[in-house]
Amino acid sequence: MKTIIEPFRIKVVEPLRMTTREERERILRDADFNPFRIRSRDVIIDLLTDSGTGAMSSAQWAGIMQGDESYAGASSFYRFEEVMKDLTGFEHVLPTHQGRASERILFELVGGEGKVVPNNNHFDTTRANIEHSGAEAVDLVIDEGKQPTVHHPFKGNMDIDKLTSLIERVGADKIPLVMVTITDNSDGGQPVSLENLRAVREVCDEHGLPMFLDACRFAENAYFIKLRESDHAEKSVAAIAAEMFSLADGATFSAKKDGLANIGGWLAMNNEDWAVECRNRLILTEGFSTYGGLSGRDLAAIAIGLEEVVEEDYLRYRIASTEYVARHISEAGVPIMKPAGGHAVYIDARQMLPHIPPLQYPGQALAVELYKEGGIRGCEIGTAMFGLRPDGKEEPAHMDLVRLAIPRRMYTQAHMDFVVEVITEVHHNREKLRGMKFIRQPPALRHFTGRFDYVDP
Ligand code: F0G
């Protein structure tokens, strides 16, 4: 059969509140044209993030009832640890409340003034935690990863030459570890090949460096390897994932993505000395080492989520639904980052709206219009987010994108057809969209709380 159906049926529903265009115009004005300021009850399809927004399975909800809330030695932890060891093979597993807590604990230990951490692309919180420790975060993705229209099966790959020259330039003693983010969220949810992970491993071995994964979307990455890298088509996703993890010395993880849970994370590694240090830090601010800031029921949900996320029927549907939206809007002429990533579709607002200069935030204008037209909430990733420099001057970001991140197991194909229809309609009327300006902005992270209005006609 050609039709890929949702590999689940619906047992519990959460009603969506339909709004009219007039209501949405008023809501937008009240929110000062910033989608982050809109209440979720006023959103019809929420594509702000795929983080912590997915639907849990009946098995996960059943697991929640069996959560063991003991302070120490809870059986939920041992179940979680067993699943983790089977999946990743890492010797030491620390639960955390989410990905950024793992990053904080790790980089407090290995970062610091004068250190340099390479990555294909640091996610914002990873970069922020590295920089907070005093270290420098360097992005070394291949050039194709930065070009929205260039096709490459693994646009998240690390540029091995750039990695080698960085190590030679700064010295291996300044580099505490090499990180690889799978999939590469900051460049569109693009995967990294096993061949590339092996090449990074070789460079690390040559220089005696540990290699860590930011494994938030490891299952989506493993499925792309199965689809696109020769010799792996016959392997199970779990086997490919195990191979990816076996190349690394440790990993950080947010269970809000490929943990199929609403909260949680982990930090895992093989180095016992580091694990002891990290556990001490975990206990200091997160919680005892068998719960790490989570409840026992959260650990139960994550353990079951990690088993479900590598199921191929699920991943086939997951990757197909992202690709479905990308293909249909692309056929309608909407410029997008290609190929579609695992968890999100990125619209190139700068190319779609050439009459709006970058300093009038074409991405923000498009995000606002998608809400106005169909109650869809996406997120600007462009000049509003990155254009303000520390000295207070503004300059255009590298790209002006709108990210539509698709929550896991939450929306059906009819919802996605609606999304396609809304985007196509906005694209049809694109010449009528107007630029935006800030009317109030905080000095940092202005996209979250800043207030906007249209520029004068
Ligand atoms: N690493 C990557 C690649 C991520 O995408 C995220 C979160 C994190 C680390 C941090 O994890 O949120 O659990 O602390 N990304 C979300 C997003 C927020 O919308 O892409 P966290």
Side-chain angles (χ1 to χ4, degrees), residues 305-350:
L306 286 172
E307 288 176 334
E308 290 178 350
V309 79
V310 292
E311 284 171 11
E312 286 169 35
D313 287 342
Y314 158 73
L315 284 164
R316 185 177 306 113
Y317 136 81
R318 168 77 178 151
I319 299 303
S321 59
T322 309
E323 204 266 335
Y324 180 86
V325 175
R327 178 159 38 90
H328 282 85
I329 62 174
S330 179
E331 279 168 11
V334 179
I336 59 166
M337 279 183 81
K338 286 183 180 166
H343 68 294
V345 176
Y346 292 67
I347 303 178
D348 188 340
R350 193 178 290 175

Side-chain angles (χ1 to χ4, degrees), residues 34-38 40 43 45-51 53 343-344 367 376-381 385 403-407 411 448:
N34 186 344
F36 281 102
R37 301 173 64 90
I38 297 175
S40 65
V43 176
I45 307 280
D46 205 344
L47 307 181
L48 196 58
T49 179
D50 65 320
S51 179
T53 50
H343 68 294
I376 296 171
R377 176 155 70 169
C379 176
E380 191 260 14
I381 300 190
M385 192 181 269
R403 181 180 85 165
L404 302 173
I406 303 178
Y411 294 119
F448 284 130

Side-chain angles (χ1 to χ4, degrees), residues 2-143:
K2 280 210 304 290
T3 309
I4 298 174
I5 60 170
E6 287 85 5
F8 49 79
R9 53 187 184 179
I10 296 166
K11 185 177 285 213
V12 176
V13 296
E14 196 180 358
L16 292 176
R17 194 176 77 86
M18 297 301 164
T19 47
T20 62
R21 181 181 250 276
E22 290 67 40
E23 277 178 274
R24 292 194 294 273
E25 281 173 0
R26 180 183 49 71
I27 290 163
L28 269 173
R29 259 194 312 280
D30 290 348
D32 294 295
F33 300 98
N34 186 344
F36 281 102
R37 301 173 64 90
I38 297 175
R39 291 183 186 212
S40 65
R41 69 182 294 273
D42 295 329
V43 176
I44 299 178
I45 307 280
D46 205 344
L47 307 181
L48 196 58
T49 179
D50 65 320
S51 179
T53 50
M56 290 208 292
S57 66
S58 51
Q60 284 177 296
W61 284 109
I64 277 189
M65 287 308 294
Q66 293 173 339
D68 177 354
E69 305 305 337
S70 306
Y71 189 92
S75 48
S76 303
F77 170 76
Y78 292 107
R79 181 177 186 190
F80 160 77
E81 192 187 39
E82 203 182 306
V83 170
M84 277 293 296
K85 287 196 171 167
D86 271 0
L87 177 74
T88 68
F90 292 129
E91 278 171 41
H92 305 282
V93 181
L94 286 66
T96 61
H97 82 271
Q98 59 184 86
R100 66 198 72 183
S102 311
E103 293 162 0
R104 202 246 325 143
I105 291 168
L106 178 64
F107 290 110
E108 242 179 45
L109 176 68
V110 306
E113 213 66 53
K115 299 278 173 64
V116 178
V117 181
N119 200 331
N120 49 348
N121 256 314
H122 291 88
F123 180 68
D124 322 7
T125 57
T126 324
R127 171 178 293 280
N129 276 294
I130 290 169
E131 290 175 352
H132 186 71
S133 81
E136 189 190 345
V138 182
D139 294 337
L140 302 175
V141 75
I142 55 170
D143 290 341

Side-chain angles (χ1 to χ4, degrees), residues 245-262:
F245 286 121
S246 74
L247 292 166
D249 299 289
T252 57
F253 184 70
S254 165
K256 302 172 77 173
K257 286 86 175 175
D258 276 351
L260 297 179
N262 300 123

